[in-house]
Amino acid sequence: MALFQHQNGSVVSNKHVFIRARPQRKPISTSVICGLMLFCLGMISLLTGHMASELERYSQRLARQSLFNLDESNKGPIDIWKSEYAKYFYGCSESSPKFPDAISEKESNGYLLIAASGGLNQQRTGISDAVVVARILNATLVVPELDHNSYWKDDSDFVNIFDVDWFISYLAKDVTIVKRVPDKFMRSMEKPPYTMRVPRKSPPEFYLDQVLPILKRRHVLQLTKFDYRLANSIDEDLQKLRCRANFHALRFTKPIQELGQKLVMKMREKATRFIAVHLRLEPDMLAFSGCYFGGGDKERYELGEIRKRWETLPEIDAVAEWRRGKCPLTPHELGLMLRALGFENDTCIYVASGEIYGGEETLAPLRDLFPNFYTKEMLANEDLKPFLPYSSCLAAIDFIVCDESDVFVTNNKGNMAKILAGRRRYMGHKRTIRPNAKRLSPLLRERDQMDWDIFAEKVRAVQRGFMGEPDEMRAGRGEFHEYPYSCICQKPASDIGSNESGGHQGK
């Protein structure tokens, strides 16, 4: 009787199918019954086919939810310098065979202008997403315009930060990119380019329904404040394009790259392994967080004045934020965490930051815990002078050193931390430590009430799951730029075996 179902899934009982013959009614013909059976069989086939495809998609999703499940018996000490499971994975952002090459400039639907927003790494997310949006719209992308009006007041253009020719050529098969709209085309336009701002996290359907018609009608369209304007979850081929744009196409200019690598070499001369710490304790970050760091009325006033620049920020209870683990650790707290994890007093540390609120007085506790303490200002000397007026160039130099470090330690959930965490996962799951601030906060408050060994053991326990292991990355978790799950592949067992026996040359 399972064959006899309505569309809503209810079973048709016998009395509704087989009716006793009565003089006043004709019996149901065999053709009607056969027709009903065929109809029901068709519906069941459609339903089961749909269920099968859903099950297939679900199984694929489950496979991506945890890229590597650690054995339950693996509760031993964690290697603080590298993950033993990193060898099982590699970055994979190649497009699938069904992903066609980009259309030409003449055949495209028009020119897409992008005005990025924020600091260097916030703009980097916008540029990567802009590449994908241009692909969705079949548009010709004009090299994005960087933000000159943000808090940092940096008037650098794309060409001053990124290798523009490499950017265009690397993505040539995916998206047609030009440096400017042709002058002849601009002169022929009756109206200036249409400008609009799309909602945050807009799905591809929004761009096709709301943006594409305008682009086709006006031929030149500018999207402003373009940061996090594309949905987190999109088609896998588009996600892989995101990775190609972010992790490969956006290469820094030669002067920035050379100075960054020079600083990396200087750190390697001091130690074979080093940590890079992104403190992010600049005044704007502290003001934005709404947290209190013990500086009394002077701190409350100064950070409060900076906070007024963001008119939409709500009032925040600083103590409550700290207890919930929403505040960055102080340099002293961060140093205690690293020492508790097992990093020795002689470990070399590179501190990436802009202007630290409180200056040397703020940094002194971290320097006491780790005397081998270095910054770009200390290492670069005169070489840094040409870049000093440009905050984006300085951030790019820090980015290179942090990316090349053996261990990267974040102290916030800002854009640089997210981009670097995602890049380091993609490049081989290099150790990236995120303080579990919510659980560390009470431990740090009670530090004086326990001996060091107990404190260190508790810190190591709460930091499990925050050490950059492959199994920390699950599909749909956080920002895709931080967790690029579609672009991480597991190596075949045969490759791993041959690698361990000395025969694997890497992918």
Side-chain angles (χ1 to χ4, degrees):
M1 293 306 300
L3 295 177
F4 297 95
Q5 294 181 339
H6 289 301
Q7 237 178 325
N8 62 4
S10 61
V11 177
V12 182
S13 64
N14 287 11
K15 66 181 181 180
H16 292 301
V17 178
F18 300 106
I19 306 174
R20 289 181 182 179
R22 293 179 182 174
Q24 67 273 28
R25 293 185 183 178
K26 293 182 180 181
I28 298 176
S29 68
T30 304
S31 60
V32 173
I33 295 174
C34 290
L36 180 60
M37 291 177 67
L38 288 172
F39 173 76
C40 292
L41 282 169
M43 292 301 297
I44 290 170
S45 175
L46 179 64
L47 178 63
T48 54
H50 176 72
M51 289 174 64
S53 62
E54 283 299 313
L55 283 171
E56 184 181 0
R57 281 197 288 270
Y58 182 67
S59 65
Q60 291 173 352
R61 194 156 56 243
L62 280 179
R64 287 217 179 260
Q65 278 179 355
S66 182
L67 289 171
F68 192 85
N69 292 315
L70 300 181
D71 192 285
E72 284 299 317
S73 62
N74 181 38
K75 300 296 182 182
I78 294 176
D79 185 334
I80 55 177
W81 286 101
K82 64 179 181 179
S83 168
E84 64 175 298
Y85 300 102
K87 61 188 177 185
Y88 296 107
F89 301 95
Y90 66 98
C92 53
S93 59
E94 299 84 3
S95 59
S96 71
K98 67 179 182 180
F99 198 66
D101 287 349
I103 59 173
S104 67
E105 182 177 351
K106 289 183 178 180
E107 295 173 330
S108 73
N109 289 322
Y111 294 93
L112 182 65
L113 306 174
I114 293 291
S117 176
L120 173 65
N121 293 288
Q122 185 174 335
Q123 293 183 91
R124 190 180 185 117
T125 64
I127 295 167
S128 302
D129 287 351
V131 170
V132 179
V133 169
R135 173 74 190 209
I136 292 169
L137 297 173
N138 276 334
T140 296
L141 178 65
V142 179
V143 170
E145 174 187 329
L146 300 190
D147 188 352
H148 297 163
N149 300 310
S150 67
Y151 172 85
W152 297 271
K153 304 297 182 187
D154 188 334
D155 60 359
S156 298
D157 291 320
F158 190 102
V159 68
N160 304 125
I161 306 297
F162 300 108
D163 184 336
V164 66
D165 293 325
W166 171 262
F167 178 72
I168 293 172
S169 63
Y170 188 90
L171 295 169
K173 287 188 176 181
D174 300 309
V175 176
T176 299
I177 305 174
V178 297
K179 293 182 180 179
R180 65 185 65 83
V181 179
D183 292 338
K184 183 179 179 181
F185 189 89
M186 289 293 289
R187 287 195 298 268
S188 68
M189 291 177 60
E190 297 179 357
K191 297 179 180 179
Y194 188 87
T195 300
M196 66 182 296
R197 186 186 303 180
V198 299
R200 289 174 71 85
K201 303 296 180 67
S202 295
E205 293 76 16
F206 177 89
Y207 287 94
L208 293 172
D209 295 341
Q210 304 296 326
V211 180
L212 182 58
I214 299 173
L215 177 64
K216 284 184 171 181
R217 188 169 65 249
R218 300 293 293 268
H219 306 296
V220 181
L221 171 65
Q222 183 180 47
L223 301 180
T224 62
K225 290 283 184 182
F226 201 82
D227 60 332
Y228 296 101
R229 304 289 165 176
L230 181 61
N232 207 41
S233 179
I234 55 178
D235 175 79
E236 187 162 295
D237 261 326
L238 294 178
Q239 296 284 43
K240 287 181 179 289
L241 176 54
R242 245 177 181 165
C243 294
R244 292 196 294 279
N246 192 352
F247 303 139
H248 296 283
L250 286 174
R251 188 169 72 179
F252 294 120
T253 59
K254 189 175 180 180
I256 292 174
Q257 196 69 34
E258 287 180 346
L259 181 54
Q261 290 298 332
K262 185 176 181 179
L263 300 193
V264 172
M265 289 177 61
K266 286 190 174 184
M267 289 300 295
R268 295 283 179 214
E269 289 169 0
K270 299 179 184 303
T272 55
R273 302 186 296 191
F274 72 95
I275 299 174
V277 178
H278 185 219
L279 281 180
R280 197 62 174 101
L281 294 177
E282 293 87 352
D284 68 296
M285 179 62 182
L286 298 187
F288 189 85
S289 73
C291 298
Y292 173 66
F293 297 90
D297 291 339
K298 180 176 181 291
E299 176 190 316
R300 290 191 180 93
Y301 172 76
E302 290 176 348
L303 297 186
E305 288 298 300
I306 296 173
R307 191 173 170 81
K308 290 177 182 177
R309 297 174 184 176
W310 295 283
E311 297 178 357
T312 58
L313 291 183
E315 290 292 327
I316 290 179
D317 184 336
V319 175
E321 287 293 288
W322 181 65
R323 286 177 176 167
R324 287 197 294 267
K326 300 294 185 181
C327 297
L329 300 185
T330 66
H332 184 230
E333 291 170 338
L334 195 70
L336 288 175
M337 180 198 75
L338 292 175
R339 291 296 299 274
L341 287 173
F343 292 102
E344 299 294 338
N345 172 264
D346 61 353
T347 301
C348 281
I349 285 190
Y350 178 88
V351 175
S353 70
E355 172 199 358
I356 296 291
Y357 183 75
E360 284 301 313
E361 185 179 349
T362 300
L363 292 173
L366 179 60
R367 196 189 294 269
D368 290 342
L369 289 166
F370 293 96
N372 295 323
F373 176 105
Y374 302 95
T375 64
K376 58 182 174 294
E377 289 80 8
M378 297 168 64
L379 296 171
N381 299 319
E382 296 297 311
D383 291 338
L384 199 62
K385 277 189 175 181
F387 302 101
L388 288 176
Y390 309 104
S391 62
S392 291
C393 292
L394 297 175
I397 292 165
D398 274 339
F399 186 100
I400 292 169
V401 182
C402 290
D403 185 37
E404 294 286 339
S405 67
D406 298 276
V407 176
F408 174 56
V409 184
T410 72
N411 190 31
N412 63 90
K413 296 179 181 178
N415 293 292
M416 181 170 171
K418 291 177 182 177
I419 290 285
L420 269 170
R423 180 179 174 84
R424 290 171 68 88
R425 288 185 174 98
Y426 179 81
M427 295 297 180
H429 283 284
K430 293 189 286 185
R431 178 70 76 204
T432 300
I433 299 175
R434 298 173 297 132
N436 183 359
K438 186 174 183 178
R439 295 186 63 189
L440 282 173
S441 293
L443 273 180
L444 291 164
R445 283 200 303 270
E446 299 164 4
R447 163 70 191 95
D448 295 334
Q449 300 170 25
M450 63 186 86
D451 63 38
W452 176 256
D453 289 339
I454 293 175
F455 172 75
E457 182 180 352
K458 290 187 175 184
V459 168
R460 289 192 291 270
V462 302
Q463 278 301 121
R464 281 191 177 275
F466 291 79
M467 298 291 288
E469 293 290 339
D471 69 328
E472 294 173 18
M473 188 171 66
R474 292 175 175 83
R477 174 182 176 180
E479 297 291 339
F480 182 79
H481 297 289
E482 183 178 7
Y483 297 95
Y485 52 87
S486 296
C487 304
I488 307 291
C489 293
Q490 188 167 353
K491 292 179 182 178
S494 57
D495 283 4
I496 297 167
S498 61
N499 184 40
E500 291 176 344
S501 63
H504 180 61
Q505 298 300 314
K507 289 194 179 262

